[in-house]
Amino acid sequence: MSEKYQLVIIGGGPGGYVAAIRAAQLGLKTAIVEKEYLGGVCLNWGCIPSKALLYATELKRTVEHAKRMGLNADNVAIDLDKLRKHKDDTVKRLTGGVKLLLEKAGIKIVSGEASFANAHKIEISDGAKKSYLEADNFIIATGVSVASLPMLKIDGKTIIGAREAIDLPSVPKKFGIIGAGPIGVEMATVYNTLGSEVTIIELMNDVLPMLDKEISKAAEKAYTKQGMKILTGSQVTSAETKDTGIVLTVETPAGEEKFTFDTVLVSVGMTPNTEKLNLVNAGVETDKKGFIPTDKRMRTNISNIYAIGDITGGMLLAHKASHEGAVAAEAIAGSNIGGDWKAVPYAVFTDPEIAGIGLTENEAEAEGRKVKIGKFPYRAVGKGIATLATDGFAKVISDAETDQILGIHIFGPHSGDILFAGTALMEFDGTAEDLSHIMAIHPTLSEALMEAGLNVNKKAIHIIN
């Protein structure tokens, strides 16, 4: 005998649990199924634990950097055991909070792995135990998993993925990172600061190749200055495990090279978690890569089945998943709301921090757009100079005819926080002129964004054009 609900959500990550809570707020009888940990990748071994590590290592670098202004603190060290405990305590507190929120909202929490029996019924396996849930509607929120390489199968010990990277028992002396996307460069930042000799190998010609080229170049310069070895336009062609470590053969622009590492992080992308869902039983279609296409209300090709978050492809971001969860729940409850993702911000938590939204300059050029660019350096901002944050800059891209903001990209401390004003403006079709009229507190680094808005139309005050 199976239980019947108005909505069942498969996956308890930042998309799934937000969808469940919003559905309960709207009066829907709701259940959520999670096979492993509430909070998903983000809270358990992604966004949150990695930021705990990044914050600790940022403090170490900041203290060392501040010697220039008279802060005397020699031999700053990080106790790895205490750092790991802080990370684990943070995860425990937040995941426990999610469980409490779900319970207080009256949502049934079911442990196990779900697969579709048909479009209105799922089977849940929890070890040898099987149960069933029926629902008028389903939301699929099962996320993605780390992609592997044929010659570098992840073993969780010396060849690792992002999950293991946030919980290494010791700091590897020589650490190889395959892939210079956000996960790769963030973990490079952590372990470089902890003392590893870090080498990043990237197939594309830039680190963070999906970002604005000026940002990518500035990031590569900063990482190199911090002591990381970066090989762009390079490909791992073979790997061999020896007593001395993992030997990688890499084809670089300068020719073939061999490197030996104690640990290798594989960070080359993600694959959707659709394989075990038996979507064929429900008639749900996927694209060639296994992602689930949806409309703006997050509905799949089957009218009562929705999909949200990373499983739908596009930008793989926790905050995007949460917003999509709310959209799907409201659509199921009868609202005409739809997701318009013209204003989806991103961030990369390296040193310096990077954040942005909208089109990059290269994307605008590829679309044939005529644009105006406004840039402003942190070194021309009072707090930038006072806090030694002089390498940063803000960049605003606007339409040359309408002045509408097409993209904003910031390279520098607190860029993720500073970007929020730009996100709000882009959501409401704001212009560079609008941005220039938003008053930034003095002295803060946010003045760089205000002045970049001014500089789109050559009106910046604190720089000579």
Side-chain angles (χ1 to χ4, degrees):
M1 189 74 178
S2 59
E3 295 181 74
K4 181 71 180 288
Y5 291 85
Q6 289 173 287
L7 171 62
V8 169
I9 297 154
I10 305 172
Y17 83 74
V18 168
I21 292 170
R22 179 55 54 84
Q25 290 172 343
L26 295 168
L28 298 178
K29 183 183 178 184
T30 303
I32 188 167
V33 182
E34 171 55 48
K35 71 174 184 177
E36 198 167 7
Y37 302 111
L38 288 172
V41 169
C42 179
L43 268 64
N44 288 279
W45 57 87
C47 318
I48 298 301
S50 67
K51 300 314 165 285
L53 302 182
L54 283 157
Y55 178 62
T57 53
E58 177 191 350
L59 287 176
K60 183 178 187 294
R61 292 189 304 275
T62 300
V63 169
E64 292 170 342
H65 194 48
K67 289 179 181 179
R68 290 171 54 189
M69 61 173 66
L71 180 64
N72 295 317
D74 294 325
N75 302 316
V76 179
I78 292 176
D79 185 316
L80 200 58
D81 290 334
K82 287 184 179 179
L83 177 55
R84 190 182 296 109
K85 183 179 185 304
H86 167 67
K87 180 261 298 179
D88 292 342
D89 288 346
T90 301
V91 169
K92 185 177 180 181
R93 180 176 177 179
L94 289 172
T95 54
V98 169
K99 185 173 186 289
L100 181 63
L101 287 170
L102 291 169
E103 290 173 342
K104 291 294 185 181
I107 296 158
K108 174 75 171 179
I109 302 171
V110 181
S111 296
E113 186 164 52
S115 61
F116 281 95
N118 55 53
H120 289 277
K121 185 177 182 179
I122 57 172
E123 178 185 281
I124 301 162
S125 300
D126 187 13
K129 180 183 173 184
K130 291 189 184 298
S131 59
Y132 295 88
L133 291 179
E134 292 185 51
D136 298 324
N137 300 281
F138 290 93
I139 295 177
I140 302 169
T142 49
V144 293
S145 295
V146 174
S148 193
L149 289 171
M151 77 290 288
L152 279 169
K153 296 291 185 183
I154 293 172
D155 61 19
K157 296 177 182 178
T158 56
I159 302 173
I160 63 173
R163 183 169 182 170
E164 294 82 16
I166 56 97
D167 207 28
L168 284 180
S170 61
V171 178
K173 184 177 179 181
K174 294 187 176 182
F175 192 26
I177 297 176
I178 316 302
I183 293 172
V185 295
E186 286 184 0
M187 289 299 98
T189 299
V190 168
Y191 284 98
N192 178 66
T193 305
L194 290 174
S196 293
E197 185 180 315
V198 173
T199 300
I200 303 174
I201 301 166
E202 168 58 44
L203 180 63
M204 305 296 284
N205 292 325
D206 301 288
V207 300
L208 298 167
M210 73 296 295
L211 304 189
D212 187 272
K213 283 196 177 295
E214 279 192 274
I215 298 288
S216 296
K217 291 184 183 302
E220 182 172 348
K221 182 179 179 181
Y223 305 155
T224 301
K225 187 177 179 180
Q226 290 163 28
M228 303 178 208
K229 183 178 179 64
I230 299 174
L231 301 171
T232 54
S234 300
Q235 183 175 11
V236 178
T237 55
S238 69
E240 186 179 1
T241 301
K242 295 184 177 181
D243 292 339
T244 54
I246 304 156
V247 180
L248 301 185
T249 302
V250 182
E251 189 62 44
T252 77
E256 186 178 276
E257 294 187 48
K258 289 186 181 293
F259 299 89
T260 301
F261 301 109
D262 303 306
T263 305
V264 174
L265 167 63
V266 179
S267 180
V268 294
M270 298 289 181
T271 57
N273 294 328
T274 51
E275 186 179 349
K276 296 182 179 180
L277 285 170
N278 286 329
L279 294 177
V280 65
N281 290 348
V284 175
E285 296 175 353
T286 63
D287 65 16
K288 292 179 180 179
K289 293 183 178 180
F291 292 101
I292 302 175
T294 67
D295 62 17
K296 286 191 175 183
R297 301 177 73 196
M298 311 317 299
R299 182 183 278 127
T300 70
N301 64 300
I302 302 300
S303 62
N304 71 307
I305 300 178
Y306 296 69
I308 61 172
D310 294 354
I311 198 72
T312 65
M315 299 177 75
L316 309 183
L317 299 165
H319 46 276
K320 176 173 174 283
S322 295
H323 274 67
E324 290 176 346
V327 166
E330 292 184 18
I332 290 166
S335 169
N336 289 322
I337 191 172
D340 181 359
W341 308 130
K342 64 183 176 183
V344 181
Y346 70 84
V348 183
F349 296 91
T350 53
D351 180 15
E353 188 170 300
I354 299 166
I357 188 168
L359 295 178
T360 64
E361 185 177 354
N362 24 310
E363 287 171 339
E365 288 174 355
E367 290 185 7
R369 306 287 289 262
K370 293 182 178 179
V371 299
K372 298 182 292 183
I373 306 292
K375 291 187 288 185
F376 198 84
Y378 276 30
R379 66 176 181 273
V381 175
K383 190 171 182 180
I385 297 169
T387 59
L388 306 177
T390 53
D391 289 339
F393 63 91
K395 179 176 181 177
V396 177
I397 303 164
S398 74
D399 186 279
E401 296 178 358
T402 66
D403 199 41
Q404 182 177 338
I405 297 172
L406 303 176
I408 298 173
H409 306 278
I410 308 174
F411 179 81
H414 307 294
S415 57
D417 301 306
I418 295 167
L419 184 68
F420 189 66
T423 304
L425 275 176
M426 284 195 65
E427 185 63 40
F428 295 102
D429 301 322
T431 64
E433 184 75 14
D434 293 330
L435 177 58
S436 70
H437 287 303
I438 294 178
M439 196 177 298
I441 295 172
H442 176 76
T444 63
L445 298 175
S446 61
E447 291 176 274
L449 179 56
M450 177 187 71
E451 292 258 23
L454 282 163
N455 212 23
V456 168
N457 296 301
K458 306 305 177 189
K459 296 179 181 179
I461 299 298
H462 294 96
I463 194 170
I464 299 171
N465 282 301

